[in-house]
Amino acid sequence: MNDKLRWTTTIGAALVSLSLVTQAAADTVTLRTVSSFNPGTAIPHTFEMFLEEIANDPDAPVEINFIGGPDAMPPFQVGNAVSNGVVDMAFVTSAFYTSSLPAAHALNLTRYSPEELRETGRFEQLQEMWREQMNVHYLAYTNYGNRYHLYLNEPIESPDLNGLRLRITPVYRAFVEALGGEAAQTPPGEVYTALERGIVDGYGWPVQGIFDLGWQEHTSYRVDPGFYHVEVGVLVNQNTWDNLTDEQRDYLTEKAIWLEELNGLNEEINAEEERRQAEAGIEVIEFEGEDRERFLEMAYEVQWQRLAQEHAENTERLREILDSE
């Protein structure tokens, strides 16, 4: 097989997409793939298992040319890149491409697991929406079960962040503000310094991954319970997807479901992360009773309200898929 990916950038997204899919043989295709997360860290670990699973399958009708993580492409450009056919496949969270698909990060608010979404036909509804608005096939939902937490350097006794400044992302900005906190949006690479210098009093982040970034060195407390689910999707350019054979599409779908089943590993991984955090001296502030109920209810309701204010049509559609009985 030719090691060089034979593709030529031309005018027109369709031609670009076609050029990126290199037909190595009649029954094999190579997909140029990028990740919005650094390889070897917590968030992409199951996606890397997915890549390895395909690479080790001698009968696979597809091959993956993994070109890298943020060193190869800035994370906030990945969504546009897969949408426009600059790459064929991408591992990227919806929070990184809301300019292309407004309110996409409502996926974090789902009350259904990926398995339940598929069983009830809701996953197909999501795929239709992503196809219509972003020209991608939503192949797999990873990291479900990896919940977000608030991490602080000042103790609190109730769900009240008055006087505290937290580093946030759009996923939980509304929640932090509703709790009375001041929101500061900075790239992950700047958070360590912000914590070290006392520019922020804490941050929101999943239970997994703070050790990858070294943030445990400047973190005193984790607030429980966790809220929302992390969502990182595997997206395939729609033109690429349409030009695959039935066998290739079926194979990728089968491997996508296998990948989603790996979300079941998160319970054990979360417990190990909590143990490591405790060893690092991070204490737990756990809300119980009415405080717990109010904390969780506020987390979901204020985010749905914020999304509705900003993107009413998409939010209504997504809430029907993700939050209705």
Side-chain angles (χ1 to χ4, degrees):
M1 177 178 179
N2 192 341
D3 290 333
K4 293 185 178 180
L5 193 65
R6 294 170 295 173
W7 63 283
T8 305
T9 302
T10 60
I11 298 174
L15 291 178
V16 171
S17 178
L18 286 172
S19 70
L20 287 172
V21 182
T22 301
Q23 194 70 37
D27 57 351
T28 306
V29 68
T30 300
L31 303 179
R32 186 171 165 86
T33 301
V34 69
S35 170
S36 56
F37 295 89
N38 283 317
T41 57
I43 297 297
H45 72 282
T46 58
F47 179 65
E48 290 164 7
M49 294 169 68
F50 167 81
L51 298 181
E52 185 177 359
E53 174 79 3
I54 293 174
N56 291 337
D57 182 355
D59 299 319
V62 298
E63 293 186 354
I64 308 297
N65 176 13
F66 182 64
I67 61 176
D71 57 332
M73 183 177 293
F76 284 90
Q77 294 181 17
V78 170
N80 282 335
V82 69
S83 177
N84 295 329
V86 176
V87 295
D88 298 303
M89 181 185 290
F91 181 70
V92 58
T93 178
S94 53
F96 287 177
Y97 55 78
T98 54
S99 60
S100 299
L101 203 163
H105 52 306
L107 287 172
N108 298 107
L109 307 179
T110 179
R111 67 160 65 190
Y112 301 103
S113 69
E115 180 182 10
E116 291 167 332
L117 288 170
R118 288 185 185 274
E119 288 176 349
T120 58
R122 296 168 190 267
F123 201 87
E124 292 179 358
Q125 295 176 55
L126 290 174
Q127 289 176 321
E128 179 181 3
M129 190 171 178
W130 262 244
R131 180 174 64 251
E132 291 173 354
Q133 298 193 27
M134 202 174 161
N135 190 44
V136 296
H137 178 76
Y138 193 103
L139 182 65
Y141 179 153
T142 78
N143 275 267
Y144 181 88
N146 181 12
R147 291 188 177 272
Y148 289 95
H149 288 261
L150 300 180
Y151 295 87
L152 305 173
N153 282 326
E154 298 290 339
I156 57 175
E157 296 181 357
S158 64
D160 185 348
L161 297 177
N162 273 295
L164 299 180
R165 190 168 192 254
L166 270 67
R167 183 268 178 184
I168 55 84
T169 72
V171 174
Y172 39 84
R173 172 188 285 274
F175 182 37
V176 167
E177 292 177 341
L179 291 170
E182 180 184 353
Q185 187 163 329
T186 62
E190 298 178 11
V191 176
Y192 184 94
T193 300
L195 290 166
E196 185 178 40
R197 296 178 179 176
I199 296 171
V200 295
D201 303 299
Y203 53 91
W205 198 256
V207 69
Q208 299 177 27
I210 69 168
F211 291 93
D212 294 331
L213 301 159
W215 296 353
Q216 79 282 357
E217 296 176 8
H218 298 287
T219 303
S220 299
Y221 304 95
R222 184 187 73 245
V223 178
D224 285 0
F227 55 94
Y228 309 161
H229 291 273
V230 176
E231 176 275 337
V232 189
V234 181
L235 309 183
V236 181
N237 174 268
Q238 191 64 48
N239 303 86
T240 296
W241 184 256
D242 291 342
N243 283 295
L244 297 177
T245 66
D246 288 344
E247 179 191 8
Q248 290 161 347
R249 286 192 291 265
D250 289 346
Y251 179 84
L252 286 172
T253 300
E254 176 186 335
K255 293 304 179 184
I257 293 172
W258 175 85
L259 171 59
E260 289 175 348
E261 290 172 351
L262 297 180
N263 288 328
L265 299 174
N266 279 321
E267 183 176 353
E268 182 178 345
I269 295 170
N270 293 346
E272 174 61 16
E273 287 293 302
E274 290 171 358
R275 184 195 64 77
R276 291 181 68 196
Q277 290 179 19
E279 281 191 353
I282 298 174
E283 300 179 37
V284 176
I285 299 171
E286 183 163 5
F287 296 138
E288 298 178 342
E290 292 183 2
D291 278 348
R292 180 187 181 91
E293 292 178 11
R294 181 162 65 92
F295 182 79
L296 290 174
E297 182 179 353
M298 183 183 295
Y300 286 85
E301 282 306 312
V302 298
Q303 181 65 353
W304 280 120
Q305 291 170 10
R306 176 68 61 87
L307 290 171
Q309 291 169 2
E310 297 175 352
H311 316 286
E313 184 176 348
N314 275 6
T315 299
E316 181 179 3
R317 188 172 175 184
L318 284 164
R319 190 160 194 177
E320 179 64 27
I321 297 170
L322 300 169
D323 194 48
S324 66
E325 295 288 349

